[in-house]
Amino acid sequence: MVNLTIDGRAVQAEPGKTILEVAKENGIFIPYLCFHPALKPIGSCRICVVEVKPGPPRPLPACATTVAEGQEVVTNSDRLQAIRRELMKLVLINHAIECPICDKGGECELQELTHALGIDQVDLKAIALPPNHDYESDLIERHPDRCITCGRCVRICRDHVGAMAINFMNRGYFTELGSGRVPLDCEFCGSCIDICPVGALINKQFKYRARAWEVDKTMMVCPFCGGGCTYELHVKDGRVMRVYNGDSVLLCGRGRFGYPVVEAEDRLKTPLIKENGKFRTATWDEALDLVSAKFKEIAAEAGANAIYGIGSPRATLEANYLFQKFFRAGLGTNQLDNPGRLHYLKAVAGLAEVFGWPKVTEVKAVGKTLPPYHSPLAISEETKGSGFPFVLGSFEELAQADLVFAIGADITPELPPLGWAVNKARQNDKFKLILANPRTTKYDRWADLSLRYKPGAERLVLAGIMKALLAAQPDRTPAIASGNLEDLQETLKKFGPKELATKCGFDEAALFEEAATLLAQAQAPAVIFGVELLGQDKAEQTVMALADLFLLIGRPEKPGSALYPVAEKANTRGVCEAGVLPDRLPGYLPLDDQTAAAFWGDKPVIKEPGLDLLAMLDKLETDDPAAPQALYALGGDLLRFLPNRSRAEKLLGKLKFIVVQDAFLNDFAQMADVVLPVAIHAEQEGSFISSGGSLGVLNKALDADGVKPDWQIISELGAKMGFPAVPGSPVRIFQDLAKNVPLWAGLAPGKTVGSGIPATLSGKFAPFDLDISLPGRRPFTLIVGKVLQHSGSYTTHHPCGTLVVTPKGMLALHPEDAASLELAEGDEAKIISSHGEITAPVTLDANLAQGVVFLPEHFAEPAAHMLTLNSNLVRVTIQKA
Amino acid sequence: MILPLIKGLATTLRHVFSKPVTLQYPEEKRPVYPRFRGHPELVVNEDGTRRCVACTLCMVVCPSNAIKNIVPAEGPEHEKYPTQFVIDLTRCIFCGFCQEACPKAAIKLNNLYELAQYQKEVLILDIDRATQKKSEMRMPDWL
């Protein structure tokens, strides 16, 4: 700690902090324009000048001067005020005085500062600059005549988002911020809007709709991807005006511009009942009575196991917890699963195989009453944790990693906040990035090593790297206690490095050695793997290979050195941890866990595991007597995401009775007998667990128009079926859930799962399958994946803002492939696989390797999963339609 | 005795020939001073367009909540204008703060004072009735 005085006040500060930060902490006001807490200081506006003794005779910028022992800082002398006023006048010379119509009016930093410095007249004159307005760009509008060239947007875009879409043009007085006088072609995250101190960058969706002071603000977690960002929702007269993130600024396009989905025209408002193949509207009582009668009938006839439940990664923890309680404690069956089975649960299975299932012992119940969404369990000194959740890292920690190895992940589209964390880590000079992906992705430009392998060859790449690593350092001792290395070595013996390189599509085996050298040198290596990898058949084998690699190189004692599997949707990780699984209870506790009895009151837990989602479909296919007869889905369009759509459609059609709880009448809901409309987004309360394990809280900001939150529907249905009463609010449901999950001890909003629990990690190397064959002999390999502007099918409903940028699904082709097929941008192409065929418009993308094509899975049309079999990869033939 | 009587009659006689003080209201209206504060109205340009840009500062400054429901919209030239603007004269206290706050001189108090009405709704002006028709606006024009 250093001691200094600011304006005569003695303060203590941490060394390395700047004068501005210390003054802010102590409530001393220093004005600034170019500085922002989320950015590195550049000291360009000079409004924050202070006089420092001992120091040079001239004033110094407070934002870029660090505190020192014995410093005397004056923040507010006549001389300083005169300098500030003069500087402000220079800034104001060419500033368009449009405050009455500028959306920033009322929250404008320039406005406030002009007022604070008492400037009522600018007696300077200069030639007027052309306004150069940009009204053409999507979603963002630019007014360079309001710009004060502070450069905040340039820095956030370059350093944090990594899009580099805005930069300074011209010099001196003529400096302008722009994209070369053409409309923006960027990620459309809109972070520049929230960081702009003036109204030079305007949110088109918010433009002219409300003044800054008219809105009601609600903090909440973003409901789209698994990033768990929090933002302010601004509401006026019961309508969402905008999404705003003033503190950390970063949000992606779907978070910032996706909110209108809550007002989508095709939202369901009343329950629907299917009669003679047609839906009719019904009252809640009518619909729930019908569901309860049908469920009772089927359970009486064929047993409780005949009813199958599918949880939802969009629904809150509370809803999912009640859902599995409805099945386990109410119906008395373990027949439930969630769509994470198709990707995230493969990571869970693979990691659990190597690091074990989570086990946390000696947690204490907190006696006193707790704030909302705080775990009633506390970490004590004897608390010990083990298992795979402790090798999963949080996004904050990732910034401290000195090497990131990303494989099978197009980071930004899958999980934008993970990309920002990588960008933060990149600020470290010693940082290294290894990128392995069949396509060129955004991060390749910063990669120290890019591995471009054939789609589906991830396991071979990992085998090659581990082989090279063990060959270079045969007696390497892993930092994590581990065993069974022989098993791994046995697996690796199967192929030689040359053979592996050929199978991966590499020119030379030296790439493996290069990667292995970088990985072996890293002090805090992090491993990222995404949905592109997890969506494949046998992805749990790939995850085991990744876990083996992490056992070899990982240093979990170093912050940032961890595994980062991508959990795609807001609550993908949460739905699994809340226990919507056929074989695990909340917190991944086994079905025969001793503590589990407490969950169900007097009703014992059924020890017999249920069928998982894919096994359930197989049973339906064989008309097995164990196949379910009724399905209760908490939401999500199963038909859009289950591979091999025509098979899924046929099999789900065999079910006698389907209940779907969803906000939209999607393709799967069309098959249902009863559809129950649910509250989404800011219409409900609840919590999510993000991909990085942090707990985010949704707050109610909008009135639900006729729809009900998931948890309420489940609890009302439970009451109708005669099940015991459940807690009556999300806050109490969370307590009921968390008191039984030792893994969540100490969890609170903003905190991460397992943080603070002393963990002992150990693992055993697991042999994995090296067979990567992709069935079929067709010439192209299709990757079905995610695009940046969409999250599941959620954002594809009008009037979602991101539809402006990416309105439809297009088949991405390498230009040379397209030329050989005589296809041009915008042409319709016919895509044929062994399982189906669809047509899609073509877009050319040189980032793809030749022979690899890409199709997003978000859209109803083209229905990408018409083509797939059991994986997100499939061999296809492409023709001109 | 007679003298005071004559004095009084002289005074009366003098007033018979002078201009009467009484105003024959409502046939005659009393002219008001230029700075008289009547009720607020939206000012139009010479081409008949409103000057208001829907910045809502008048609504913010109004101490009696007489100005409400300003609904902004965007025009073809990216200009901002109100599509709704309500002045509730039953709440107005004629303080003139709105005129003072307006950055565009788009709202001003006129010189009208005959506001008594049988129906309250007549005094709640929507955007069209709150807009001045021409500079010399009289009561019957807008009621």
Side-chain angles (χ1 to χ4, degrees), chain A residues 116 337 661 707 772 774:
Chain A
D337 204 355
Q661 240 168 266
V707 297
I772 58 152
L774 201 56

Side-chain angles (χ1 to χ4, degrees), chain A residues 743-756:
Chain A
L743 179 61
W744 291 358
L747 191 66
K751 288 203 176 157
T752 50
V753 172
S755 66

Side-chain angles (χ1 to χ4, degrees), chain A residues 22-295:
Chain A
V22 174
K24 244 186 171 180
E25 279 164 20
N26 289 285
I28 298 164
F29 171 70
I30 299 177
Y32 57 80
L33 277 178
C34 71
F35 172 79
H36 190 280
L39 300 171
K40 275 190 201 165
I42 54 167
S44 87
C45 74
R46 299 273 150 176
I47 299 282
C48 69
V49 283
V50 289
E51 297 193 68
V52 180
K53 270 185 224 162
R58 62 182 184 280
L60 293 173
C63 69
T65 311
T66 47
V67 290
E69 183 66 39
Q71 237 171 14
E72 283 173 43
V73 180
V74 177
T75 69
N76 204 354
S77 65
D78 289 345
R79 180 185 174 209
L80 292 174
Q81 286 300 80
I83 292 172
R84 284 174 191 158
R85 264 202 289 274
E86 205 56 35
L87 285 167
M88 277 298 285
K89 283 181 185 174
L90 290 168
V91 168
L92 287 167
I93 289 181
N94 201 29
H95 183 79
I97 310 293
E98 298 177 319
C99 305
I101 63 155
C102 177
D103 284 323
K104 204 75 182 184
E107 56 178 11
C108 173
E109 290 174 38
L110 188 71
Q111 219 176 27
E112 276 160 31
L113 206 51
T114 309
H115 190 71
L117 294 172
I119 298 164
D120 49 6
Q121 200 123 34
V122 178
D123 40 15
L124 304 165
K125 284 245 156 45
I127 53 163
L129 299 177
N132 295 335
H133 296 146
D134 167 23
Y135 296 114
E136 268 79 61
S137 299
D138 293 333
L139 299 170
I140 300 167
E141 191 174 293
R142 288 179 293 160
H143 289 255
D145 55 342
R146 296 178 191 162
C147 178
I148 56 165
T149 57
C150 64
R152 285 193 200 173
C153 53
V154 177
R155 286 178 282 155
I156 195 98
C157 192
R158 182 191 60 203
D159 300 342
H160 292 257
V161 181
M164 300 186 279
I166 305 183
N167 212 336
F168 293 105
M169 309 195 305
N170 307 330
R171 288 293 174 268
Y173 175 67
F174 302 95
T175 307
E176 183 184 327
L177 284 153
S179 53
R181 300 269 160 77
V182 289
L184 286 170
D185 177 20
C186 62
E187 293 181 10
F188 294 100
C189 69
S191 298
C192 50
I193 297 170
D194 283 359
I195 206 157
C196 182
V198 292
L201 291 146
I202 292 289
N203 183 338
K204 272 193 175 172
Q205 284 184 349
F206 176 62
K207 192 187 175 192
Y208 294 169
R209 289 181 70 203
R211 305 306 317 259
W213 57 83
E214 289 176 341
V215 292
D216 296 321
K217 300 168 184 175
T218 313
M219 276 305 282
M220 55 182 279
V221 65
C222 179
F224 294 107
C225 81
C229 307
T230 51
Y231 57 59
E232 268 176 20
L233 194 79
H234 290 187
V235 176
K236 181 186 154 192
D237 300 335
R239 293 192 66 194
V240 186
M241 290 288 124
R242 65 168 166 182
V243 158
Y244 183 78
N245 187 6
D247 303 331
S248 56
V249 179
L250 290 166
L251 285 179
C252 68
R254 44 202 182 201
R256 198 177 311 264
F257 302 113
Y259 65 80
V261 86
V262 74
E263 296 177 352
E265 300 126 25
D266 52 345
R267 278 285 302 274
L268 292 173
K269 295 287 176 210
T270 52
L272 300 174
I273 294 177
K274 194 181 264 172
E275 273 173 4
N276 308 321
K278 277 207 177 111
F279 282 116
R280 66 166 178 92
T281 55
T283 62
W284 277 101
D285 262 337
E286 211 179 338
L288 292 177
D289 280 339
L290 176 65
V291 175
S292 127
K294 277 281 187 185
F295 277 176

Side-chain angles (χ1 to χ4, degrees), chain A residues 612-648:
Chain A
D612 70 39
L613 184 53
L614 302 171
M616 183 271 282
L617 289 174
D618 292 343
K619 290 267 192 251
L620 277 173
E621 187 160 41
T622 52
D623 290 319
D624 193 291
Q629 299 181 8
L631 185 74
Y632 181 12
L634 204 49
D637 189 350
L638 285 181
L639 289 185
R640 204 171 294 188
F641 301 110
L642 278 174
N644 201 348
R645 181 177 166 131
S646 43
R647 172 182 180 252

Side-chain angles (χ1 to χ4, degrees), chain A residues 100 135 207-208 211 213-214, chain B residues 53 55-56 59-60 72 74 78:
Chain A
Y135 296 114
K207 192 187 175 192
Y208 294 169
R211 305 306 317 259
W213 57 83
E214 289 176 341
Chain B
V53 295
C55 74
T56 75
M59 188 160 83
V60 172
E74 186 175 358
H78 307 286

